[in-house]
Amino acid sequence: MFQRRFVIVSGKGGVGRSTLAASLGLAAARYGLRTCVVQLNTRDELGRIFAVDASGYEPVPLVPGIPLFGCNLRPQDALREYGQMKLHFRTLHKLVFENDVMQRLLRMIPGMNELVLLGKAWHMEAQERSSDGKPAWDLIVIDAPATGHGVSLLRLPQTILAAVPVGPMADDARQMQALLEDPARTALHVVTLPQELPATEALELCDEARLKLGMPTGNLFVNMVVPPLVDDRQLRALQRAEPETPLMADTIAAVAAHVRWHDAQQLQVRRLQKASALPVVELPHLFCTIGRAQIETLADAVVAGMEAAESRRPPREAAR
């Protein structure tokens, strides 16, 4: 379930990418995997969820007692680290990278910020080591940008290699591309809602990832699925009843509205199951603000859903 060490979470804005990234990270850390959830130059959603400050560049613990960490990568910090690794001397880095002319030039290069962020994430997976020489992280979960920006980020190594096929930047881009295309190390999870437009965009992202980006995929997570409240027989019985009070009438109307909501969602879930090449995992609607307690619940649902999806795969496909 957590065999691949570099997991990317993407999807349309507002579908719960950060929620899923946090849930995946918590689930893995419960298994004892040293896990880092990586935000990419964005608002600190991890800090809001876990009530800690995870806005910094360096990973910080998110939950006491388990190996779950989080950070928020910023382009300026990533570029500084990259420059120091390449030039080896901090003073030389300041001379080359931090003068005004170079700073203006770097801001003019399309995709430079995204490149250094992706490069830092690659470095965390491929290069960072603990004191005993083992990889520093058992699992890295990337909370990627919303679909359009996220696809551009994942396509960036291809773009760099097409424009600059040789040189140090090309060498780094080639290694990033190798990571993104490696089915033994990488998986792209897609998140959506059980609504028509987000579901359509999720299906397009699934196809683009597999067919155009050449990325290995994981699961299609359908977030905020409402539970059934009553069955058809019970609903008909309620609707035949004579409401004795306005409150009872309002309650029956609310139940009927919930049934219509559930039915509309399930129509989209069945559509996704039929059209997607990715296994579909449903996550419950919790009807409250997402905090640590809710992430605990969702982590349980993530594990149960991924295990069920794995069991439904053909043996040959599940072994890949």
Side-chain angles (χ1 to χ4, degrees), residues 80-124:
R80 180 181 300 110
E81 184 178 5
Y82 177 79
Q84 290 174 5
M85 285 190 298
K86 290 296 182 182
L87 298 177
H88 302 293
F89 294 102
R90 182 171 300 181
T91 53
L92 188 57
H93 166 268
K94 288 184 177 181
L95 180 65
V96 174
F97 279 92
E98 296 187 7
N99 68 74
D100 290 340
V101 175
M102 179 59 74
Q103 287 292 311
R104 288 195 295 269
L105 178 61
L106 291 172
R107 285 194 292 269
M108 293 171 59
I109 300 175
M112 188 64 192
N113 285 346
E114 290 79 5
L115 181 64
V116 295
L117 292 180
L118 186 60
K120 169 59 177 177
W122 161 79
H123 186 267
M124 291 176 69

mmCIF file of all heavy atoms in Angstrom, residues 80-124:
data_model
loop_
_atom_site.group_PDB
_atom_site.id
_atom_site.type_symbol
_atom_site.label_atom_id
_atom_site.label_comp_id
_atom_site.label_asym_id
_atom_site.label_seq_id
_atom_site.Cartn_x
_atom_site.Cartn_y
_atom_site.Cartn_z
ATOM 1 N N ARG A 80 18.457 28.955 -2.919
ATOM 2 C CA ARG A 80 19.661 29.169 -2.113
ATOM 3 C C ARG A 80 20.354 27.829 -1.819
ATOM 4 O O ARG A 80 21.567 27.697 -1.967
ATOM 5 C CB ARG A 80 19.294 29.867 -0.802
ATOM 6 C CG ARG A 80 20.502 30.141 0.097
ATOM 7 C CD ARG A 80 20.090 30.814 1.403
ATOM 8 N NE ARG A 80 19.423 32.090 1.152
ATOM 9 C CZ ARG A 80 18.132 32.314 1.355
ATOM 10 N NH1 ARG A 80 17.366 31.339 1.829
ATOM 11 N NH2 ARG A 80 17.606 33.491 1.111
ATOM 12 N N GLU A 81 19.560 26.826 -1.445
ATOM 13 C CA GLU A 81 20.140 25.516 -1.157
ATOM 14 C C GLU A 81 20.748 24.898 -2.410
ATOM 15 O O GLU A 81 21.838 24.314 -2.375
ATOM 16 C CB GLU A 81 19.068 24.586 -0.578
ATOM 17 C CG GLU A 81 19.612 23.225 -0.170
ATOM 18 C CD GLU A 81 18.549 22.336 0.446
ATOM 19 O OE1 GLU A 81 17.368 22.731 0.470
ATOM 20 O OE2 GLU A 81 18.910 21.230 0.915
ATOM 21 N N TYR A 82 20.040 25.024 -3.531
ATOM 22 C CA TYR A 82 20.534 24.476 -4.800
ATOM 23 C C TYR A 82 21.857 25.143 -5.198
ATOM 24 O O TYR A 82 22.821 24.477 -5.586
ATOM 25 C CB TYR A 82 19.486 24.691 -5.889
ATOM 26 C CG TYR A 82 19.908 24.231 -7.269
ATOM 27 C CD1 TYR A 82 19.871 22.889 -7.613
ATOM 28 C CD2 TYR A 82 20.332 25.151 -8.230
ATOM 29 C CE1 TYR A 82 20.245 22.463 -8.878
ATOM 30 C CE2 TYR A 82 20.714 24.742 -9.498
ATOM 31 C CZ TYR A 82 20.675 23.393 -9.819
ATOM 32 O OH TYR A 82 21.055 22.979 -11.070
ATOM 33 N N GLY A 83 21.891 26.470 -5.081
ATOM 34 C CA GLY A 83 23.097 27.188 -5.452
ATOM 35 C C GLY A 83 24.288 26.810 -4.580
ATOM 36 O O GLY A 83 25.413 26.646 -5.075
ATOM 37 N N GLN A 84 24.050 26.631 -3.301
ATOM 38 C CA GLN A 84 25.135 26.259 -2.400
ATOM 39 C C GLN A 84 25.630 24.845 -2.672
ATOM 40 O O GLN A 84 26.832 24.564 -2.559
ATOM 41 C CB GLN A 84 24.677 26.402 -0.949
ATOM 42 C CG GLN A 84 24.481 27.853 -0.519
ATOM 43 C CD GLN A 84 23.883 27.983 0.861
ATOM 44 O OE1 GLN A 84 23.681 26.994 1.561
ATOM 45 N NE2 GLN A 84 23.571 29.210 1.258
ATOM 46 N N MET A 85 24.722 23.955 -3.063
ATOM 47 C CA MET A 85 25.151 22.600 -3.406
ATOM 48 C C MET A 85 25.988 22.601 -4.678
ATOM 49 O O MET A 85 26.971 21.872 -4.796
ATOM 50 C CB MET A 85 23.933 21.688 -3.574
ATOM 51 C CG MET A 85 23.274 21.278 -2.278
ATOM 52 S SD MET A 85 22.039 19.984 -2.503
ATOM 53 C CE MET A 85 20.868 20.807 -3.580
ATOM 54 N N LYS A 86 25.597 23.434 -5.643
ATOM 55 C CA LYS A 86 26.309 23.458 -6.916
ATOM 56 C C LYS A 86 27.641 24.190 -6.810
ATOM 57 O O LYS A 86 28.643 23.789 -7.427
ATOM 58 C CB LYS A 86 25.448 24.127 -7.991
ATOM 59 C CG LYS A 86 24.237 23.299 -8.415
ATOM 60 C CD LYS A 86 24.654 21.995 -9.063
ATOM 61 C CE LYS A 86 23.481 21.183 -9.530
ATOM 62 N NZ LYS A 86 23.894 19.883 -10.125
ATOM 63 N N LEU A 87 27.653 25.283 -6.033
ATOM 64 C CA LEU A 87 28.860 26.104 -5.958
ATOM 65 C C LEU A 87 29.716 25.759 -4.741
ATOM 66 O O LEU A 87 30.858 26.203 -4.658
ATOM 67 C CB LEU A 87 28.479 27.592 -5.915
ATOM 68 C CG LEU A 87 27.729 28.096 -7.163
ATOM 69 C CD1 LEU A 87 27.336 29.554 -6.977
ATOM 70 C CD2 LEU A 87 28.590 27.938 -8.411
ATOM 71 N N HIS A 88 29.153 25.004 -3.798
ATOM 72 C CA HIS A 88 29.874 24.472 -2.643
ATOM 73 C C HIS A 88 30.225 25.523 -1.584
ATOM 74 O O HIS A 88 30.395 25.180 -0.424
ATOM 75 C CB HIS A 88 31.160 23.748 -3.072
ATOM 76 C CG HIS A 88 30.905 22.623 -4.015
ATOM 77 N ND1 HIS A 88 30.229 21.474 -3.644
ATOM 78 C CD2 HIS A 88 31.217 22.479 -5.340
ATOM 79 C CE1 HIS A 88 30.147 20.664 -4.686
ATOM 80 N NE2 HIS A 88 30.727 21.242 -5.724
ATOM 81 N N PHE A 89 30.333 26.767 -1.950
ATOM 82 C CA PHE A 89 30.706 27.798 -0.985
ATOM 83 C C PHE A 89 29.593 28.831 -0.880
ATOM 84 O O PHE A 89 29.125 29.344 -1.894
ATOM 85 C CB PHE A 89 32.018 28.493 -1.389
ATOM 86 C CG PHE A 89 33.214 27.584 -1.350
ATOM 87 C CD1 PHE A 89 33.728 27.056 -2.519
ATOM 88 C CD2 PHE A 89 33.809 27.244 -0.137
ATOM 89 C CE1 PHE A 89 34.824 26.216 -2.498
ATOM 90 C CE2 PHE A 89 34.912 26.405 -0.107
ATOM 91 C CZ PHE A 89 35.416 25.888 -1.288
ATOM 92 N N ARG A 90 29.172 29.121 0.348
ATOM 93 C CA ARG A 90 28.086 30.066 0.556
ATOM 94 C C ARG A 90 28.435 31.452 0.033
ATOM 95 O O ARG A 90 27.601 32.143 -0.555
ATOM 96 C CB ARG A 90 27.740 30.125 2.052
ATOM 97 C CG ARG A 90 26.588 31.046 2.379
ATOM 98 C CD ARG A 90 26.161 30.904 3.830
ATOM 99 N NE ARG A 90 25.730 29.543 4.110
ATOM 100 C CZ ARG A 90 25.290 29.154 5.308
ATOM 101 N NH1 ARG A 90 25.249 30.025 6.318
ATOM 102 N NH2 ARG A 90 24.912 27.915 5.502
ATOM 103 N N THR A 91 29.668 31.884 0.244
ATOM 104 C CA THR A 91 30.043 33.218 -0.215
ATOM 105 C C THR A 91 29.988 33.295 -1.735
ATOM 106 O O THR A 91 29.577 34.311 -2.308
ATOM 107 C CB THR A 91 31.452 33.585 0.279
ATOM 108 O OG1 THR A 91 32.363 32.535 -0.095
ATOM 109 C CG2 THR A 91 31.456 33.736 1.789
ATOM 110 N N LEU A 92 30.387 32.224 -2.432
ATOM 111 C CA LEU A 92 30.337 32.219 -3.885
ATOM 112 C C LEU A 92 28.886 32.214 -4.367
ATOM 113 O O LEU A 92 28.545 32.873 -5.351
ATOM 114 C CB LEU A 92 31.070 30.994 -4.428
ATOM 115 C CG LEU A 92 31.274 30.930 -5.950
ATOM 116 C CD1 LEU A 92 32.020 32.162 -6.444
ATOM 117 C CD2 LEU A 92 32.033 29.654 -6.325
ATOM 118 N N HIS A 93 28.036 31.499 -3.643
ATOM 119 C CA HIS A 93 26.609 31.502 -3.996
ATOM 120 C C HIS A 93 26.044 32.912 -3.897
ATOM 121 O O HIS A 93 25.296 33.371 -4.774
ATOM 122 C CB HIS A 93 25.825 30.574 -3.068
ATOM 123 C CG HIS A 93 24.343 30.781 -3.141
ATOM 124 N ND1 HIS A 93 23.682 31.641 -2.294
ATOM 125 C CD2 HIS A 93 23.413 30.279 -3.988
ATOM 126 C CE1 HIS A 93 22.397 31.649 -2.603
ATOM 127 N NE2 HIS A 93 22.214 30.831 -3.613
ATOM 128 N N LYS A 94 26.379 33.613 -2.819
ATOM 129 C CA LYS A 94 25.873 34.977 -2.669
ATOM 130 C C LYS A 94 26.349 35.868 -3.803
ATOM 131 O O LYS A 94 25.606 36.703 -4.319
ATOM 132 C CB LYS A 94 26.324 35.549 -1.317
ATOM 133 C CG LYS A 94 25.616 34.933 -0.117
ATOM 134 C CD LYS A 94 26.052 35.618 1.166
ATOM 135 C CE LYS A 94 25.294 35.047 2.366
ATOM 136 N NZ LYS A 94 25.695 35.720 3.630
ATOM 137 N N LEU A 95 27.580 35.688 -4.206
ATOM 138 C CA LEU A 95 28.144 36.496 -5.278
ATOM 139 C C LEU A 95 27.435 36.236 -6.601
ATOM 140 O O LEU A 95 27.122 37.162 -7.352
ATOM 141 C CB LEU A 95 29.641 36.209 -5.419
ATOM 142 C CG LEU A 95 30.396 36.987 -6.512
ATOM 143 C CD1 LEU A 95 30.394 38.478 -6.184
ATOM 144 C CD2 LEU A 95 31.822 36.466 -6.641
ATOM 145 N N VAL A 96 27.129 34.956 -6.877
ATOM 146 C CA VAL A 96 26.550 34.594 -8.176
ATOM 147 C C VAL A 96 25.034 34.732 -8.182
ATOM 148 O O VAL A 96 24.450 35.304 -9.097
ATOM 149 C CB VAL A 96 26.959 33.153 -8.541
ATOM 150 C CG1 VAL A 96 26.254 32.707 -9.827
ATOM 151 C CG2 VAL A 96 28.470 33.054 -8.701
ATOM 152 N N PHE A 97 24.359 34.203 -7.150
ATOM 153 C CA PHE A 97 22.905 34.069 -7.185
ATOM 154 C C PHE A 97 22.162 35.226 -6.523
ATOM 155 O O PHE A 97 20.993 35.440 -6.817
ATOM 156 C CB PHE A 97 22.473 32.757 -6.515
ATOM 157 C CG PHE A 97 22.594 31.555 -7.411
ATOM 158 C CD1 PHE A 97 23.748 30.798 -7.423
ATOM 159 C CD2 PHE A 97 21.552 31.192 -8.245
ATOM 160 C CE1 PHE A 97 23.862 29.688 -8.244
ATOM 161 C CE2 PHE A 97 21.657 30.097 -9.073
ATOM 162 C CZ PHE A 97 22.817 29.332 -9.076
ATOM 163 N N GLU A 98 22.798 35.930 -5.592
ATOM 164 C CA GLU A 98 22.052 36.898 -4.817
ATOM 165 C C GLU A 98 22.333 38.340 -5.203
ATOM 166 O O GLU A 98 21.877 39.258 -4.518
ATOM 167 C CB GLU A 98 22.325 36.681 -3.313
ATOM 168 C CG GLU A 98 21.821 35.322 -2.826
ATOM 169 C CD GLU A 98 21.919 35.158 -1.321
ATOM 170 O OE1 GLU A 98 22.254 36.147 -0.636
ATOM 171 O OE2 GLU A 98 21.654 34.050 -0.825
ATOM 172 N N ASN A 99 23.048 38.570 -6.288
ATOM 173 C CA ASN A 99 23.178 39.951 -6.744
ATOM 174 C C ASN A 99 21.915 40.339 -7.506
ATOM 175 O O ASN A 99 21.171 39.500 -8.021
ATOM 176 C CB ASN A 99 24.442 40.133 -7.592
ATOM 177 C CG ASN A 99 24.351 39.399 -8.918
ATOM 178 O OD1 ASN A 99 23.648 39.815 -9.828
ATOM 179 N ND2 ASN A 99 25.068 38.277 -9.032
ATOM 180 N N ASP A 100 21.650 41.633 -7.617
ATOM 181 C CA ASP A 100 20.387 42.128 -8.174
ATOM 182 C C ASP A 100 20.189 41.699 -9.621
ATOM 183 O O ASP A 100 19.076 41.361 -10.037
ATOM 184 C CB ASP A 100 20.340 43.661 -8.075
ATOM 185 C CG ASP A 100 20.203 44.137 -6.629
ATOM 186 O OD1 ASP A 100 19.778 43.318 -5.795
ATOM 187 O OD2 ASP A 100 20.517 45.307 -6.366
ATOM 188 N N VAL A 101 21.246 41.715 -10.408
ATOM 189 C CA VAL A 101 21.121 41.361 -11.827
ATOM 190 C C VAL A 101 20.675 39.910 -11.976
ATOM 191 O O VAL A 101 19.744 39.589 -12.736
ATOM 192 C CB VAL A 101 22.454 41.595 -12.563
ATOM 193 C CG1 VAL A 101 22.349 41.099 -14.014
ATOM 194 C CG2 VAL A 101 22.823 43.075 -12.531
ATOM 195 N N MET A 102 21.313 39.003 -11.227
ATOM 196 C CA MET A 102 20.954 37.596 -11.315
ATOM 197 C C MET A 102 19.536 37.353 -10.784
ATOM 198 O O MET A 102 18.781 36.559 -11.352
ATOM 199 C CB MET A 102 21.958 36.743 -10.541
ATOM 200 C CG MET A 102 21.649 35.242 -10.567
ATOM 201 S SD MET A 102 21.601 34.536 -12.236
ATOM 202 C CE MET A 102 23.366 34.506 -12.625
ATOM 203 N N GLN A 103 19.165 38.061 -9.723
ATOM 204 C CA GLN A 103 17.820 37.896 -9.189
ATOM 205 C C GLN A 103 16.766 38.303 -10.209
ATOM 206 O O GLN A 103 15.751 37.609 -10.389
ATOM 207 C CB GLN A 103 17.652 38.729 -7.911
ATOM 208 C CG GLN A 103 18.377 38.169 -6.704
ATOM 209 C CD GLN A 103 17.769 36.871 -6.217
ATOM 210 O OE1 GLN A 103 16.571 36.766 -6.044
ATOM 211 N NE2 GLN A 103 18.610 35.879 -6.000
ATOM 212 N N ARG A 104 16.996 39.400 -10.921
ATOM 213 C CA ARG A 104 16.036 39.824 -11.955
ATOM 214 C C ARG A 104 16.013 38.826 -13.098
ATOM 215 O O ARG A 104 14.952 38.516 -13.657
ATOM 216 C CB ARG A 104 16.397 41.225 -12.460
ATOM 217 C CG ARG A 104 16.100 42.332 -11.462
ATOM 218 C CD ARG A 104 16.119 43.689 -12.135
ATOM 219 N NE ARG A 104 17.441 44.025 -12.632
ATOM 220 C CZ ARG A 104 18.353 44.688 -11.920
ATOM 221 N NH1 ARG A 104 18.081 45.065 -10.678
ATOM 222 N NH2 ARG A 104 19.535 44.972 -12.440
ATOM 223 N N LEU A 105 17.185 38.300 -13.471
ATOM 224 C CA LEU A 105 17.258 37.326 -14.558
ATOM 225 C C LEU A 105 16.508 36.042 -14.204
ATOM 226 O O LEU A 105 15.751 35.500 -15.022
ATOM 227 C CB LEU A 105 18.725 37.011 -14.870
ATOM 228 C CG LEU A 105 18.980 35.958 -15.970
ATOM 229 C CD1 LEU A 105 18.392 36.424 -17.300
ATOM 230 C CD2 LEU A 105 20.467 35.686 -16.112
ATOM 231 N N LEU A 106 16.678 35.569 -12.970
ATOM 232 C CA LEU A 106 16.002 34.348 -12.553
ATOM 233 C C LEU A 106 14.491 34.517 -12.543
ATOM 234 O O LEU A 106 13.745 33.594 -12.878
ATOM 235 C CB LEU A 106 16.491 33.921 -11.164
ATOM 236 C CG LEU A 106 17.939 33.422 -11.095
ATOM 237 C CD1 LEU A 106 18.363 33.210 -9.661
ATOM 238 C CD2 LEU A 106 18.114 32.132 -11.892
ATOM 239 N N ARG A 107 14.036 35.722 -12.161
ATOM 240 C CA ARG A 107 12.590 35.962 -12.163
ATOM 241 C C ARG A 107 12.023 35.978 -13.572
ATOM 242 O O ARG A 107 10.834 35.732 -13.769
ATOM 243 C CB ARG A 107 12.278 37.283 -11.450
ATOM 244 C CG ARG A 107 12.405 37.200 -9.931
ATOM 245 C CD ARG A 107 11.756 38.412 -9.267
ATOM 246 N NE ARG A 107 12.482 39.647 -9.541
ATOM 247 C CZ ARG A 107 13.460 40.114 -8.766
ATOM 248 N NH1 ARG A 107 13.815 39.451 -7.674
ATOM 249 N NH2 ARG A 107 14.066 41.250 -9.070
ATOM 250 N N MET A 108 12.861 36.238 -14.566
ATOM 251 C CA MET A 108 12.403 36.291 -15.957
ATOM 252 C C MET A 108 12.340 34.911 -16.604
ATOM 253 O O MET A 108 11.721 34.748 -17.652
ATOM 254 C CB MET A 108 13.327 37.212 -16.777
ATOM 255 C CG MET A 108 13.246 38.668 -16.389
ATOM 256 S SD MET A 108 14.529 39.664 -17.206
ATOM 257 C CE MET A 108 14.138 39.373 -18.936
ATOM 258 N N ILE A 109 12.974 33.906 -16.026
ATOM 259 C CA ILE A 109 12.995 32.570 -16.618
ATOM 260 C C ILE A 109 11.688 31.861 -16.293
ATOM 261 O O ILE A 109 11.382 31.627 -15.124
ATOM 262 C CB ILE A 109 14.185 31.752 -16.087
ATOM 263 C CG1 ILE A 109 15.502 32.447 -16.423
ATOM 264 C CG2 ILE A 109 14.163 30.341 -16.670
ATOM 265 C CD1 ILE A 109 16.720 31.759 -15.825
ATOM 266 N N PRO A 110 10.876 31.528 -17.303
ATOM 267 C CA PRO A 110 9.594 30.859 -17.025
ATOM 268 C C PRO A 110 9.803 29.523 -16.325
ATOM 269 O O PRO A 110 10.639 28.714 -16.726
ATOM 270 C CB PRO A 110 8.996 30.651 -18.427
ATOM 271 C CG PRO A 110 9.712 31.614 -19.317
ATOM 272 C CD PRO A 110 11.096 31.765 -18.738
ATOM 273 N N GLY A 111 9.062 29.297 -15.252
ATOM 274 C CA GLY A 111 9.097 28.016 -14.568
ATOM 275 C C GLY A 111 10.268 27.834 -13.628
ATOM 276 O O GLY A 111 10.430 26.747 -13.058
ATOM 277 N N MET A 112 11.090 28.867 -13.415
ATOM 278 C CA MET A 112 12.275 28.701 -12.573
ATOM 279 C C MET A 112 11.886 28.380 -11.131
ATOM 280 O O MET A 112 12.468 27.489 -10.494
ATOM 281 C CB MET A 112 13.130 29.969 -12.610
ATOM 282 C CG MET A 112 14.480 29.805 -11.925
ATOM 283 S SD MET A 112 15.504 28.581 -12.772
ATOM 284 C CE MET A 112 16.813 28.337 -11.576
ATOM 285 N N ASN A 113 10.878 29.098 -10.597
ATOM 286 C CA ASN A 113 10.449 28.823 -9.225
ATOM 287 C C ASN A 113 9.964 27.390 -9.072
ATOM 288 O O ASN A 113 10.312 26.688 -8.124
ATOM 289 C CB ASN A 113 9.340 29.798 -8.818
ATOM 290 C CG ASN A 113 9.863 31.187 -8.524
ATOM 291 O OD1 ASN A 113 11.066 31.398 -8.365
ATOM 292 N ND2 ASN A 113 8.962 32.142 -8.453
ATOM 293 N N GLU A 114 9.132 26.968 -10.027
ATOM 294 C CA GLU A 114 8.601 25.603 -9.965
ATOM 295 C C GLU A 114 9.718 24.569 -10.105
ATOM 296 O O GLU A 114 9.683 23.513 -9.461
ATOM 297 C CB GLU A 114 7.555 25.396 -11.063
ATOM 298 C CG GLU A 114 6.258 26.158 -10.851
ATOM 299 C CD GLU A 114 6.370 27.640 -11.227
ATOM 300 O OE1 GLU A 114 7.437 28.050 -11.749
ATOM 301 O OE2 GLU A 114 5.401 28.372 -10.972
ATOM 302 N N LEU A 115 10.712 24.875 -10.934
ATOM 303 C CA LEU A 115 11.812 23.935 -11.139
ATOM 304 C C LEU A 115 12.596 23.706 -9.859
ATOM 305 O O LEU A 115 12.918 22.562 -9.509
ATOM 306 C CB LEU A 115 12.748 24.440 -12.241
ATOM 307 C CG LEU A 115 13.942 23.529 -12.563
ATOM 308 C CD1 LEU A 115 13.447 22.201 -13.128
ATOM 309 C CD2 LEU A 115 14.899 24.212 -13.539
ATOM 310 N N VAL A 116 12.895 24.767 -9.126
ATOM 311 C CA VAL A 116 13.680 24.591 -7.903
ATOM 312 C C VAL A 116 12.852 23.901 -6.821
ATOM 313 O O VAL A 116 13.394 23.139 -6.002
ATOM 314 C CB VAL A 116 14.265 25.928 -7.401
ATOM 315 C CG1 VAL A 116 15.268 26.483 -8.392
ATOM 316 C CG2 VAL A 116 13.191 26.952 -7.097
ATOM 317 N N LEU A 117 11.530 24.121 -6.814
ATOM 318 C CA LEU A 117 10.682 23.416 -5.846
ATOM 319 C C LEU A 117 10.636 21.924 -6.161
ATOM 320 O O LEU A 117 10.775 21.079 -5.268
ATOM 321 C CB LEU A 117 9.263 23.996 -5.864
ATOM 322 C CG LEU A 117 9.090 25.421 -5.343
ATOM 323 C CD1 LEU A 117 7.627 25.833 -5.443
ATOM 324 C CD2 LEU A 117 9.579 25.544 -3.908
ATOM 325 N N LEU A 118 10.444 21.595 -7.437
ATOM 326 C CA LEU A 118 10.433 20.189 -7.824
ATOM 327 C C LEU A 118 11.802 19.562 -7.582
ATOM 328 O O LEU A 118 11.904 18.403 -7.152
ATOM 329 C CB LEU A 118 10.034 20.064 -9.297
ATOM 330 C CG LEU A 118 9.836 18.637 -9.832
ATOM 331 C CD1 LEU A 118 8.740 17.923 -9.068
ATOM 332 C CD2 LEU A 118 9.510 18.674 -11.324
ATOM 333 N N GLY A 119 12.853 20.335 -7.844
ATOM 334 C CA GLY A 119 14.203 19.826 -7.601
ATOM 335 C C GLY A 119 14.455 19.535 -6.135
ATOM 336 O O GLY A 119 15.081 18.529 -5.795
ATOM 337 N N LYS A 120 13.952 20.389 -5.244
ATOM 338 C CA LYS A 120 14.111 20.138 -3.813
ATOM 339 C C LYS A 120 13.349 18.871 -3.408
ATOM 340 O O LYS A 120 13.862 18.046 -2.638
ATOM 341 C CB LYS A 120 13.600 21.346 -3.020
ATOM 342 C CG LYS A 120 13.476 21.113 -1.521
ATOM 343 C CD LYS A 120 14.801 20.713 -0.866
ATOM 344 C CE LYS A 120 14.628 20.554 0.640
ATOM 345 N NZ LYS A 120 15.869 20.095 1.305
ATOM 346 N N ALA A 121 12.130 18.701 -3.928
ATOM 347 C CA ALA A 121 11.361 17.497 -3.615
ATOM 348 C C ALA A 121 12.080 16.252 -4.113
ATOM 349 O O ALA A 121 12.144 15.227 -3.410
ATOM 350 C CB ALA A 121 9.962 17.599 -4.241
ATOM 351 N N TRP A 122 12.648 16.330 -5.331
ATOM 352 C CA TRP A 122 13.434 15.205 -5.848
ATOM 353 C C TRP A 122 14.635 14.933 -4.949
ATOM 354 O O TRP A 122 14.960 13.785 -4.640
ATOM 355 C CB TRP A 122 13.917 15.513 -7.269
ATOM 356 C CG TRP A 122 15.063 14.640 -7.681
ATOM 357 C CD1 TRP A 122 15.008 13.346 -8.104
ATOM 358 C CD2 TRP A 122 16.457 14.992 -7.680
ATOM 359 N NE1 TRP A 122 16.270 12.875 -8.363
ATOM 360 C CE2 TRP A 122 17.174 13.862 -8.111
ATOM 361 C CE3 TRP A 122 17.150 16.154 -7.356
ATOM 362 C CZ2 TRP A 122 18.561 13.870 -8.225
ATOM 363 C CZ3 TRP A 122 18.531 16.162 -7.480
ATOM 364 C CH2 TRP A 122 19.226 15.015 -7.910
ATOM 365 N N HIS A 123 15.302 15.983 -4.490
ATOM 366 C CA HIS A 123 16.481 15.826 -3.641
ATOM 367 C C HIS A 123 16.113 15.147 -2.327
ATOM 368 O O HIS A 123 16.875 14.298 -1.818
ATOM 369 C CB HIS A 123 17.111 17.192 -3.368
ATOM 370 C CG HIS A 123 18.410 17.137 -2.629
ATOM 371 N ND1 HIS A 123 18.488 17.235 -1.255
ATOM 372 C CD2 HIS A 123 19.685 16.968 -3.061
ATOM 373 C CE1 HIS A 123 19.749 17.137 -0.880
ATOM 374 N NE2 HIS A 123 20.502 16.983 -1.945
ATOM 375 N N MET A 124 14.950 15.479 -1.785
ATOM 376 C CA MET A 124 14.512 14.840 -0.542
ATOM 377 C C MET A 124 14.342 13.335 -0.729
ATOM 378 O O MET A 124 14.686 12.550 0.154
ATOM 379 C CB MET A 124 13.185 15.452 -0.074
ATOM 380 C CG MET A 124 13.295 16.889 0.397
ATOM 381 S SD MET A 124 11.677 17.591 0.839
ATOM 382 C CE MET A 124 11.295 16.652 2.327
#
